[in-house]
Amino acid sequence: MSSVNPTAPEAKYTFLSLGDSYTIGESVFEVERWSVQLAGMLREEGLAITNPDIIAKTGWTTAELQEAININGNQKTYHLVSLLIGVNNQYREQGLDQYRTEFRELLQTATQFAGGESAHVFVLSIPDWGDSPFAADRDRTKITREIDQFNTLVKEECGKAGIAYVDITPLTRSATGDESQFASDGLHYSGKQMKQWAKQALPVVKQLMSH
């Protein structure tokens, strides 16, 4: 992959983004999706990368994402693959052991999409929706504790697989009380907040793409 010259006009790095509502950008415009914003930032840095193909849907758990990938039948390989999944597992009170098994499988799937190159895959941590306006009447302490447990697992599994981990959860927690950081539904995040995710991922991804 490093043999491709990103400065050549015909060169195009490709990008696949896998996930749920946070990846598809529920309640925001397409250009505000974090992965679309990241692709734009990479182009500004001189990397000729396409806007991402996206396999994501609001409400998906790890199992539903894997099933959708299988049904989708996408046989392409990509220079860059992202994964952000798990909030719906937590929301539906699915167990950590189940999540670990299914998340591990998704890491393998993401690596396959990257042509077997785990060094071209990166994972974003799960946002803490407990700090959203939507969760005002929920047990926020419980949500935060569980999100931390899921993210600890995510970081562990990424470490085992040699996959880059980008921690965006503190950014989502800093959005508390700022309506401009949230989409109109009060649950999902605005393009303004997702821009911060893209900025957080940018140096990591630049490093990945330099190999």
Side-chain angles (χ1 to χ4, degrees), residues 11-196:
K12 282 286 188 291
Y13 287 106
T14 52
F15 181 12
L16 174 66
S17 201
L18 305 171
D20 50 33
S21 58
Y22 297 134
T23 294
I24 201 65
E26 178 70 21
S27 300
V28 301
F29 293 113
E30 182 177 346
V31 294
E32 295 177 295
R33 294 169 178 167
W34 75 263
S35 54
V36 173
Q37 293 196 66
L38 175 60
M41 291 176 188
L42 287 166
R43 286 194 293 270
E44 288 176 3
E45 298 274 344
L47 192 77
I49 192 165
T50 59
N51 275 346
D53 286 349
I54 294 177
I55 303 176
K57 190 173 181 179
T58 298
W60 275 355
T61 60
T62 41
E64 289 162 339
L65 173 58
Q66 185 66 61
E67 181 184 10
I69 290 169
N70 295 341
I71 293 170
N72 183 277
N74 187 338
Q75 297 297 313
K76 297 179 188 176
T77 55
Y78 295 81
H79 298 97
L80 184 66
V81 181
S82 71
L83 177 64
L84 167 51
I85 191 76
V87 71
N88 295 297
N89 297 69
Q90 181 273 329
Y91 184 77
R92 296 191 206 174
E93 300 186 342
Q94 294 182 359
L96 285 169
D97 288 343
Q98 176 185 348
Y99 179 70
R100 186 184 296 275
T101 299
E102 294 170 357
F103 182 76
R104 193 177 286 168
E105 182 181 0
L106 280 167
L107 288 180
Q108 294 170 353
T109 298
T111 302
Q112 289 168 2
F113 273 124
E117 299 280 351
S118 60
H120 285 254
V121 179
F122 69 105
V123 170
L124 266 60
S125 66
I126 303 166
D128 186 354
W129 65 278
D131 287 317
S132 67
F134 175 86
D137 60 347
R138 308 272 180 145
D139 185 343
R140 290 181 161 179
T141 302
K142 177 176 181 284
I143 294 167
T144 293
R145 182 178 67 249
E146 291 178 355
I147 292 291
D148 281 344
Q149 291 170 344
F150 273 77
N151 278 327
T152 296
L153 187 158
V154 170
K155 189 175 183 179
E156 284 175 4
E157 291 301 322
C158 286
K160 291 176 188 174
I163 286 172
Y165 172 79
V166 180
D167 187 6
I168 62 165
T169 310
L171 294 172
T172 67
R173 288 172 175 158
S174 70
T176 308
D178 181 357
E179 289 185 4
S180 71
Q181 303 283 344
F182 294 93
S184 56
D185 61 12
L187 173 59
H188 298 97
Y189 296 94
S190 67
K192 181 179 177 180
Q193 168 66 202
M194 287 192 283
K195 184 177 183 178
Q196 294 183 58

